[in-house]
């Protein structure tokens, strides 16, 4: 394992410290327990948006704390759910009379811990469960996983909350975005979890892991490595079959890198995915290409499509000022 | 070699096409010959800033075309200088009476081709040669290489040009930023150039390449992999020795990933580098952490320090709207 670290036990703490120093104009870090919050407290009555999950997916979620997006994020240890005390402390820090909306990727540990906290809270609260990964069947025993579509939920609900939408409206909107969003990923290499010190899975030089999860979970099938066009056709067909966007409908196309795949390849994937949907008469109205929901050092990428309407387009375009997404302010 | 490609010969074209589609609100792509330019032509009399170089360093330079930064960028083939016809076509497209400033990383091919073009032009033109890589001695036969500091030159001169600075002022400013900037990198793995199909250099699991260049050029020495603290101490000491920032002087600290190193590690490196200079009484006034000047899929990072003054701080903070850097607009 070759990484820039001092010790496995201090990696997360040191990294969060660096993050908080580099973005001190946007966020502040709380330690004991760990959470990242906006430097400015939310306006009275604003719904507080809180997300969180295992670390190793940076910039998700800490990079999305700031104006127009999250109020706080709770980073767990690498690929490990944050704990209820982190979530409680984050709520205490940012809830300001408007209630709390948790945005939670659908993994058993995350769901359980956010549920525990929801039940303990005296303030109004609700949860949007993100489950955009169509690699697993809809009827999978634990449901579908939340992956790169999460940031789209966070951005759009974040914009609505900033404009004064109430908790019920934010919750409905979050569910709507989740239902309108589908993702699927493919890996060329495994990631290496520092505490494990070796790749999560083995894959030969001529194979790819289709439908891989963002923790290196095996996906649908291990396939022979094929051309980028074939790979995109494979991923996009499954997404398209799920969402069935109509001709002329505006969509957001997001190509997400898992960490070790160069931008040059991500843009190539974007070109092919755009062509796929344009061929079907779909309008690519917005796009996002880059490393946003990563899997430590995995080589690979995912494609996410969100079917938008005028309301969602406006909320996507609304100002955002976070470490990883910034426009309009 | 595991990459998302269709064919080595079409990789760059397809990637540029994806880039131009994803950022059609900011730039447009010219093919035959290749260059990327802003969608809006420069105001009459504005100095046109043009950069370029081999591809494989994305987002550098195409990701820095837009308001407040470059007017055009000429992407060469991977790790290969762009050709004079690309540069000439770019000049023709964006020169609007204010003359042209070329911002050129110091590599023999780039320097030669930009020089040829400069001599052919009838309009006023000048060149800023970027040579921020302190891994090589100042007296090196071909001079020092231009690396991650290039974007700082492009950002600061871009802001000045936007405000109406003339060619001579922009040239002087660019040289000033270059002289106030020093970088040094370290690699944990080699990059793999697609046309070659195998790593540029071999490195064992317990070694790192100190002073590596952004094309995988061997650096100062191959060392045993050490702790992040030791690595930062090594890089920062050499940079500090070169720039000798004074106590209380504001600096910009830029930690740049080479492509395959997770953001979590880059923030850890940032924390350690910030501590190094804070210990010396230096004020980290601005920061930038992320993958900006990459080496395809190399694991590694570089540290760049720029000593700023009030003028440079203001220009760094000025609005910028490009694919890869965006604030204030």
């Amino acid at each position: 394992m070759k990484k820039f670290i001092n010790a496995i036990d201090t990696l997360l703490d040191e990294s969060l410290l660096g993050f908080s120093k580099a973005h001190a104009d946007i966020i502040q870090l709380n330690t004991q327990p760990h959470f990242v919050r906006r430097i400015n407290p939310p306006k009275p009555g604003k719904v507080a948006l809180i997300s969180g999950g295992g670390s190793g997916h940076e910039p998700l979620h800490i990079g999305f704390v700031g104006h127009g997006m999250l109020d706080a994020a709770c980073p767990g240890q690498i690929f490990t759910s944050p704990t209820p005390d982190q979530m409680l402390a984050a709520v205490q820090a940012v809830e300001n009379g408007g209630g709390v909306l948790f945005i939670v990727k659908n993994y058993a540990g995350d769901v359980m811990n956010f549920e525990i906290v929801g039940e303990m809270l005296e303030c109004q609260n609700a949860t949007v469960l993100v489950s955009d990964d169509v690699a697993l069947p809809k009827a999978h025993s634990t449901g579908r996983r939340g992956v790169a579509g999460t940031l789209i939920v966070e951005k759009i609900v974040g914009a609505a909350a900033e404009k004064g939408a109430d908790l019920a409206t934010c919750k409905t909107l979050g569910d709507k975005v989740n239902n309108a969003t589908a993702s699927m990923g493919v890996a060329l290499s495994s990631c290496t979890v520092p505490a494990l010190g070796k790749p999560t899975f083995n894959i030969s030089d001529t194979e790819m892991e289709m439908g891989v999860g963002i923790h290196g979970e095996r996906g649908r099938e291990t396939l022979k490595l094929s051309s980028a066009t074939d790979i995109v056709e494979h991923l996009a067909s499954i997404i398209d079959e799920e969402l069935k966007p109509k001709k002329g409908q505006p969509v957001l196309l997001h190509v997400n890198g898992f960490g070790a795949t160069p931008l040059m390849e991500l843009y190539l994937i974007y070109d092919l995915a755009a062509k796929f949907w344009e061929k079907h008469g779909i309008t690519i109205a917005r796009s996002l290409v880059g490393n946003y929901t990563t899997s430590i050092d995995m080589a690979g990428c995912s494609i996410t499509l969100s079917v938008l309407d005028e309301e969602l387009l406006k909320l996507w375009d609304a100002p955002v000022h976070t470490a990883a997404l910034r426009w309009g302010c």
Side-chain angles (χ1 to χ4, degrees), chain A:
Chain A
M1 180 178 69
K2 294 180 91 170
K3 291 183 186 291
F4 294 121
I5 57 173
N6 285 318
I8 287 165
D9 288 348
T10 60
L11 166 57
L12 180 60
D13 283 24
E14 293 182 80
S15 175
L16 286 171
L17 205 55
F19 177 81
S20 69
K21 284 181 190 175
H23 303 291
D25 55 328
I26 304 175
I27 57 92
Q28 63 183 57
L29 172 68
N30 191 82
T31 54
Q32 299 178 328
H34 277 131
F35 65 88
V36 168
R37 58 166 293 182
R38 299 193 198 179
I39 43 167
N40 300 316
K43 280 184 241 168
K46 179 189 172 294
V47 174
L49 293 193
I50 300 180
S51 190
S55 292
H57 307 300
E58 290 68 29
L60 185 88
H61 299 272
I62 55 173
F64 303 136
V65 175
H67 179 85
M69 223 159 155
L70 300 176
D71 291 280
C74 305
Q77 288 296 319
I78 292 175
F79 290 178
T80 304
S81 171
T83 51
D85 63 314
Q86 291 177 261
M87 299 164 188
L88 277 170
V91 170
Q92 211 152 25
V94 300
E95 203 281 330
N96 199 8
V100 176
L101 184 67
F102 295 119
I103 299 177
V104 182
K105 300 193 300 304
N106 186 32
Y107 297 98
D110 292 5
V111 172
M112 186 181 71
N113 287 351
F114 274 104
E115 240 172 41
I116 289 170
V117 170
E119 284 167 14
M120 290 168 74
L121 291 179
E122 288 179 9
C123 66
Q124 267 195 302
N125 66 88
T127 297
V128 172
L129 216 56
V130 185
S131 55
D132 57 313
D133 188 348
V134 296
L136 296 183
K138 218 168 193 164
H140 188 265
S141 60
T142 55
R144 284 173 163 170
R145 305 171 295 209
V147 291
T150 312
L151 85 84
I152 301 170
V153 176
E154 293 178 353
K155 169 67 187 81
I156 288 178
V157 178
E162 210 67 62
K163 287 180 185 193
D166 66 12
L167 182 60
T169 307
C170 287
K171 155 75 177 154
T172 305
L173 182 67
D175 289 339
K176 176 181 165 181
V177 177
N178 181 51
N179 290 330
T181 299
S183 303
M184 189 156 151
V186 58
L188 301 185
S189 81
S190 171
C191 52
T192 296
V193 179
L196 195 64
K198 57 176 191 171
T200 304
F201 63 88
N202 293 315
I203 186 160
S204 86
D205 282 351
T206 58
E207 287 175 334
M208 60 184 170
E209 195 56 41
M210 189 58 74
V212 72
I214 56 171
H215 308 92
E217 309 98 306
R218 279 330 236 295
R220 288 199 168 201
E221 46 192 336
T222 307
L223 295 178
K224 214 170 137 35
L225 184 59
S226 58
S227 72
T229 296
D230 285 349
I231 293 170
V232 169
E233 186 80 23
H234 190 134
L235 297 170
S237 298
I238 292 169
I239 292 167
D240 192 71
E241 179 56 36
E242 183 72 27
L243 290 178
K244 298 189 174 64
K246 293 189 192 77
K247 277 193 181 180
Q249 249 183 331
V251 297
L252 162 63
L253 175 56
H254 171 33
V255 172
N256 171 60
F258 285 146
T261 286
L263 218 41
M264 182 181 272
E265 295 173 44
L266 298 182
Y267 279 117
L268 181 146
I269 294 286
Y270 177 84
D271 177 49
L272 298 168
K275 277 180 182 146
F276 175 93
W277 276 293
E278 281 160 3
K279 208 172 56 191
H280 288 70
I282 307 305
T283 308
I284 315 288
R286 297 294 181 274
S287 62
L288 186 70
V289 182
N291 295 294
Y292 291 97
T293 303
T294 58
S295 307
I296 311 179
D297 52 358
M298 189 189 279
C301 73
S302 60
I303 296 176
T304 298
L305 198 79
S306 276
V307 179
L308 302 174
D309 56 23
E310 279 308 311
E311 180 201 11
L312 301 185
L313 267 173
K314 265 191 200 151
L315 292 168
W316 177 259
D317 290 343
V320 61
H321 186 178
T322 67
L325 275 193
R326 185 167 175 179
W327 56 73
C329 49

